[in-house]
Amino acid sequence: MVGSRRFPTVFLSVFVGFVVLDQLIKAWSRNTAFGEGHVFNALWPNVFELKLAYNHGIAFGLFQGFGVVFAPIAILIAGYAAWHASRIDPSKKLMHFTIGMLAAGAVGNLIDRVWMGKVTDMFWFRLINFPVFNLADACITVSAVLLAVLSIRENEARRPESQVPQTDSIPPA
């Protein structure tokens, strides 16, 4: 609690909800698949499929074998997100949702790294042969985009009216 404000329920709900859902999907994938590298469900054949893969690195398979080394970064990201959530105006629900997703993504993959030494991935956009990913990865990516958009919007809102470019007026000839 900061001052008289309660810790934001949007942040907590999103954080807990996505971590639980991520872990349930990963467990289901490990128990359903016939082994790593096999497509175990073609939701949309040759376009979007479920394929069990393990990542011993970080995003997009970078730094293979060093994923556990990045565990402290996930802890810092989740901790910073929680700290930031405790200081944001509770009415900024989209920001709370966004940083809740960021923290959930970091913790969802952290659980795998600590527990198994690797991250379970299963979603595969086969059409473009996009790297196999999981819900935690999607949370991190979507939250990064949303944070950028929210930051741009907030910066534009802070600019004085005289600095905002006028697009609806016709310039003098």
Side-chain angles (χ1 to χ4, degrees):
M1 241 166 106
V2 175
S4 62
R5 287 194 269 187
R6 295 181 319 139
F7 198 77
T9 55
V10 171
F11 172 84
L12 285 173
S13 300
V14 168
F15 173 74
V16 170
F18 276 116
V19 168
V20 168
L21 185 58
D22 175 66
Q23 291 300 304
L24 287 172
I25 292 169
K26 288 174 178 175
W28 174 79
S29 297
R30 288 189 298 268
N31 292 325
T32 303
F34 300 110
E36 186 175 7
H38 292 86
V39 171
F40 62 96
N41 191 329
L43 298 172
W44 187 358
N46 298 316
V47 176
F48 183 68
E49 301 177 348
L50 299 180
K51 174 182 177 180
L52 182 64
Y54 293 108
N55 187 349
H56 296 268
I58 60 169
F60 306 113
L62 298 172
F63 304 108
Q64 285 300 307
F66 294 96
V68 175
V69 174
F70 290 94
I73 295 171
I75 294 167
L76 288 173
I77 289 170
Y80 178 76
W83 174 83
H84 192 59
S86 71
R87 283 153 176 73
I88 299 173
D89 182 348
S91 69
K92 295 187 175 188
K93 294 188 185 320
L94 183 55
M95 180 59 85
H96 285 284
F97 182 88
T98 302
I99 60 176
M101 277 181 43
L102 178 64
V107 169
N109 283 339
L110 174 66
I111 291 168
D112 280 24
R113 283 193 180 96
V114 170
W115 177 47
M116 300 182 350
K118 57 190 174 185
V119 175
T120 304
D121 292 326
M122 75 292 304
F123 300 124
W124 184 30
F125 281 109
R126 184 177 190 163
L127 180 68
I128 59 172
N129 199 26
F130 192 80
V132 183
F133 63 98
N134 60 45
L135 181 61
D137 298 334
C139 285
I140 292 168
T141 303
V142 170
S143 64
V145 170
L146 282 172
L147 281 172
V149 169
L150 291 171
S151 176
I152 290 167
R153 276 186 25 196
E154 189 170 316
N155 285 338
E156 286 179 356
R158 284 189 200 158
R159 282 198 293 182
E161 189 65 34
S162 62
Q163 292 181 354
V164 177
Q166 298 297 322
T167 58
D168 60 337
S169 61
I170 300 172

